[in-house]
Amino acid sequence: MELLPLVCLCLLSCSGDGQVLNDRTGGNVPASKPSITTFITPEGALLQCGVLGVFPKPKMEWRDSSGNILPGQNLKETESGGRYNVQLQTAVTKSGRYRCVVTQEEIGHQTEAETYFNFNGAAAGPGSNTGLVTLWFLVLLWLF
């Protein structure tokens, strides 16, 4: 029975007279640095950004090195237990630095991750990665 006051103390902030100042049981979970995955396509690359288990639901966008917002695609937002998982992709056809920016306006929080993609001076053409893909396939075949 002695543990109950301790648990309540962790969940509630009180003033000296016992008045509740802030209920933290439904607290915010700021997004940590988003993860970025790059998928090679015949036209260039598909960049994917994701955050897991955050609250409140964030706004996510891709930006180029000049700060321009890029068109997002395949937005996936799921909610479980009051926490959000968000994923957004964008297609790129030029070499450059790209940033995924995650904003939680309600709590004044913003975080970002950056990646660089190099197309060797030009957009990748069809079959430009077939040698690398074939090599990985042969290595995997040999291992298994």
Side-chain angles (χ1 to χ4, degrees):
M1 286 303 222
E2 305 251 349
L3 292 178
L4 184 58
L6 181 60
V7 171
C8 291
L9 184 61
C10 293
L11 297 176
L12 302 173
S13 297
C14 298
S15 67
D17 62 1
Q19 179 184 10
V20 174
L21 298 177
N22 188 9
D23 181 355
R24 296 176 187 235
T25 57
N28 298 317
V29 181
S32 58
K33 186 175 181 177
S35 64
I36 295 178
T37 307
T38 303
F39 301 96
I40 306 301
T41 68
E43 298 80 28
L46 186 66
L47 305 178
Q48 178 174 288
C49 180
V51 292
L52 300 173
V54 301
F55 180 83
K57 182 166 69 171
K59 173 184 157 192
M60 183 179 285
E61 60 190 15
W62 278 100
R63 294 179 180 251
D64 64 15
S65 58
S66 299
N68 300 313
I69 297 173
L70 302 175
Q73 59 191 47
N74 299 327
L75 175 65
K76 293 181 184 174
E77 297 175 325
T78 58
E79 184 267 334
S80 176
R83 306 283 189 245
Y84 292 90
N85 300 328
V86 181
Q87 196 174 70
L88 181 66
Q89 297 176 336
T90 192
V92 295
T93 57
K94 296 180 187 176
S95 294
R97 293 194 184 282
Y98 298 94
R99 290 181 300 136
C100 172
V101 181
V102 178
T103 305
Q104 292 169 292
E105 292 177 6
E106 296 91 338
I107 61 173
H109 179 70
Q110 186 174 72
T111 185
E112 63 184 55
E114 184 176 277
T115 189
Y116 181 80
F117 198 78
N118 186 1
F119 293 112
N120 297 323
S128 61
N129 295 305
T130 54
L132 184 59
V133 171
T134 303
L135 175 64
W136 277 110
F137 178 76
L138 291 174
V139 168
L140 289 174
L141 212 93
W142 180 73
L143 289 174
F144 298 101

